Amino acid sequence: MTAVGTRSAAGGAASLLRVLPLAGASFAAGTGDMVIAGILPALAAGLRVSEAAAGQLVTAYAVAYGCGTVLVAALTGGMPRRRVLTWGLAAFTVVNAAAAVVSSFGVLLVLRVLAGLAAAACTPAAVAIAAEVAPEERRGRYLALVTGGLTVALVAGVPAGTWLGGEYGWRSTMVFVALLGAVSLAGAAGVPFVPAPLPLGLRRRLAPLAVPAVARLLAATVVSGIGGMMMLTYLFPVLREAGGVGHQQMTALFTLYGVAGTAAAWLGGRGADRWGPYRTLVAALAGYGVTLWAAAALTMAGGVPLAVLGVVVVLLALAAWAINPPLQSMMYGFARGAAAEAMALATAALFTGASLGGALGGILLDGWGPAAIPLAGGVLLLVAVPLIPRRASS
């Protein structure tokens, strides 16, 4: 009896290792998305553009990812998921390698769009493969492994890219992201084969929009995404204004942000289970908005000690990353029968908000200075609260 149990556990561990490259894919995509925030000043100086303009590289990636999540899924719906993952990782690797050698901001902007589209193919395919190959009793662990790559990107990928950009220039960061894609691509050869799913048309994928509660929740996601993500995009200029931080301090602060964000995702899930997703989501949004206003006040004051900035960064991460679990829980409950399509739309809404936040944050940075970003962000987070429906009939 013991021997059988041991073999079963070993087989489960071996199977889990086979899907480890899927976590690598989400890690690469997450790092490629968020790492620009850590090298914004170096990149702007290197390409001779303003930091507000450089922030549009985040906007380009987010627009492509947000729209591409739905569109690429519709276009590749009849293809085996491993093939989609492989081609997506190949494109992601090549595009980021090319980004390391370009000298034109316009060309880099186009490459960021292509990188976002490639990531939009990779991440959903990785999640779908994990869900299909996982034993039913281990599906949660398999999915947690894959989606955990995004939070690990916060803890390890973005700080590493920030440090590389400060020490060796922003191009080294692009090389780093390309290498992450290449390693994931090599590992994809060992990912289990999953047959092509039944294709869904674009109309079917957009069907959840007809549910009023889903539409309201998506609207709240866009508004809160604008307010929250523009702070992350321009976190470096804001903290530099508040406390004069440089690349080394920023690397430490991004690491702190990632650790706190990882804990917050777990806390958000626990809160949704214990107090309900609606209360947890409202509390997270309100807490995020108030913390952004506190950050704005400190930025206007200036001369803030690094330890205080660390506390602010932790509070920002705790509020920001506690939002997703209750949001997903509510979306699942409102869109029964079309949960997968609703989740894809939620991702698109979040990245739409991120893209608009990058654009608005650039305007605020150029026109009113760094403190205007958290000030406006706090307003938008609180505006999102009344948009959240309490019931599926809302």
Side-chain angles (χ1 to χ4, degrees):
M1 185 72 70
T2 304
V4 172
T6 302
R7 284 197 300 272
S8 176
S15 300
L16 199 61
L17 288 174
R18 288 192 69 193
V19 300
L20 193 59
L22 301 176
S26 62
F27 175 70
T31 301
D33 173 23
M34 297 178 283
V35 77
I36 295 297
I39 59 171
L40 199 64
L43 199 153
L47 293 177
R48 299 184 181 87
V49 297
S50 68
E51 290 181 359
Q56 304 320 302
L57 296 171
V58 177
T59 300
Y61 190 104
V63 168
Y65 191 100
C67 297
T69 298
V70 176
L71 296 177
V72 173
L75 292 173
T76 63
M79 294 175 61
R81 297 297 90 190
R82 188 170 68 182
R83 185 183 303 172
V84 175
L85 176 67
T86 300
W87 282 105
L89 284 171
F92 183 85
T93 301
V94 170
V95 167
N96 279 288
V101 298
V102 299
S103 56
S104 164
F105 177 76
V107 174
L108 184 57
L109 199 64
V110 172
L111 290 174
R112 287 290 292 175
V113 170
L114 295 176
L117 289 173
C122 295
T123 308
V127 172
I129 292 170
E132 286 293 325
V133 303
E136 186 173 351
E137 70 277 8
R138 293 194 180 100
R139 184 166 291 125
R141 277 172 279 183
Y142 277 57
L143 291 174
L145 176 67
V146 176
T147 57
L150 296 173
T151 54
V152 175
L154 275 175
V155 178
V158 175
T162 301
W163 180 82
L164 285 169
E167 294 293 320
Y168 303 106
W170 67 269
R171 296 180 190 278
S172 66
T173 302
M174 295 293 101
V175 172
F176 170 63
V177 175
L179 287 174
L180 293 179
V183 170
S184 298
L185 177 60
V191 170
F193 177 81
V194 174
L198 292 174
L200 294 176
L202 188 58
R203 179 176 294 182
R204 170 71 182 275
R205 294 185 181 278
L206 298 178
L209 289 172
V211 180
V214 170
R216 285 185 59 184
L217 195 55
L218 290 172
T221 303
V222 172
V223 174
S224 62
I226 297 172
M229 294 304 291
M230 73 175 172
M231 178 61 177
L232 180 57
T233 301
Y234 297 100
L235 189 60
F236 202 153
V238 171
L239 296 184
R240 186 183 58 207
E241 180 78 6
V245 300
H247 276 282
Q248 291 184 342
Q249 293 93 340
M250 200 66 218
T251 299
L253 290 171
F254 265 123
T255 303
L256 198 59
Y257 183 94
V259 171
T262 302
W266 179 80
L267 290 171
R270 284 292 301 271
D273 291 340
R274 185 167 183 177
W275 296 298
Y278 175 80
R279 289 183 179 180
T280 304
L281 182 56
V282 168
L285 290 173
Y288 197 5
V290 171
T291 306
L292 283 171
W293 281 346
L298 292 174
T299 304
M300 287 186 280
V304 180
L306 184 62
V308 175
L309 292 180
V311 172
V312 171
V313 164
V314 168
L315 293 175
L316 288 172
L318 287 174
W321 289 87
I323 290 172
N324 203 38
L327 176 66
Q328 289 182 332
S329 180
M330 291 184 73
M331 189 65 73
Y332 184 85
F334 292 156
R336 292 197 177 276
E341 292 81 4
M343 295 298 187
L345 288 173
T347 300
L350 177 63
F351 277 86
T352 298
S355 62
L356 294 173
L360 177 60
I363 294 171
L364 293 172
L365 184 64
D366 264 354
W368 290 275
I373 293 173
L375 190 63
V379 172
L380 288 166
L381 263 296
L382 296 178
V383 166
V385 171
L387 295 176
I388 302 169
R390 286 178 176 268
R391 296 174 295 276
S393 59
S394 298

